[in-house]
Amino acid sequence: MSKIYIASDHRGVGLKLYLIEMLAAAGYNVVNLGVDDPNTSVDYPDIAATLADAMKNDEKSRGIIICGTGAGVMIAANRYKHIRASRCNTPNQARDDRFHDDINVLALAADDIDIEVAFLCTQTFLESPFDDCERRVRRVEKIS
């Protein structure tokens, strides 16, 4: 994995900054794509576009995207052909979504997840492999 791109809307700033600190301390190469001001409202589709643009020419990268519910950024990110985003609330879900669906973007709900659980989901997402057996590769190719 080359880089971890991370972005949030205004509702996800606190969680994003926490994750950046924890990931950097763990030795990951983290790129903060904004926003950093929780008091300036931004549109989550714009944040998803920024993340998708950053990941477009970096196949080995992963992304983390955060909004209040996690659903908006996930839906917006999945509009891009090279993105496979999933909203995960548990480490097991993050592991399974990597293993089965080769997700490359983790969507998190800042309003609904404990920050320590969010970090565990993030670690699991980053450390879990994709099961690249023929049937899973075929399925991922159909959505990418």
Side-chain angles (χ1 to χ4, degrees):
M1 166 180 3
S2 63
K3 293 178 184 170
I4 300 166
Y5 296 98
I6 188 167
S8 71
D9 72 357
H10 53 284
R11 288 170 61 189
V13 169
L15 177 57
K16 183 191 68 163
L17 294 175
Y18 170 78
L19 292 175
I20 289 170
E21 179 181 327
M22 298 297 288
L23 292 168
Y28 288 100
N29 181 6
V30 183
V31 178
N32 181 359
L33 299 173
V35 301
D36 293 324
D37 180 4
N39 299 312
T40 301
S41 181
V42 296
D43 295 335
Y44 62 82
D46 297 336
I47 300 306
T50 299
L51 182 85
D53 287 346
M55 293 180 65
K56 190 168 190 164
N57 297 316
D58 192 354
E59 288 183 15
K60 296 188 184 298
S61 67
R62 300 266 179 92
I64 301 164
I65 195 162
I66 307 164
C67 71
T69 66
V73 290
M74 179 192 71
I75 293 166
N78 279 321
R79 293 177 51 218
Y80 299 90
K81 186 175 181 170
H82 63 286
I83 299 294
R84 292 172 309 281
S86 181
R87 178 181 184 255
C88 298
N89 298 319
T90 68
N92 286 345
Q93 189 179 19
R95 182 199 63 227
D96 289 349
D97 290 359
R98 277 285 310 138
F99 188 82
H100 293 280
D101 303 311
D102 195 23
I103 65 167
N104 58 358
V105 173
L106 174 67
L108 295 170
D111 294 350
D112 298 328
I113 195 166
D114 178 82
I115 60 172
E116 288 87 9
V117 173
F119 182 62
L120 291 174
C121 289
T122 301
Q123 281 183 306
T124 303
F125 163 69
L126 296 172
E127 295 170 3
S128 295
F130 170 53
D131 176 24
D132 60 355
C133 69
E134 183 273 330
R135 76 178 187 276
R136 295 197 203 291
V137 169
R138 181 182 69 244
R139 292 169 184 163
V140 169
E141 286 173 351
K142 288 182 177 185
I143 61 172
S144 294

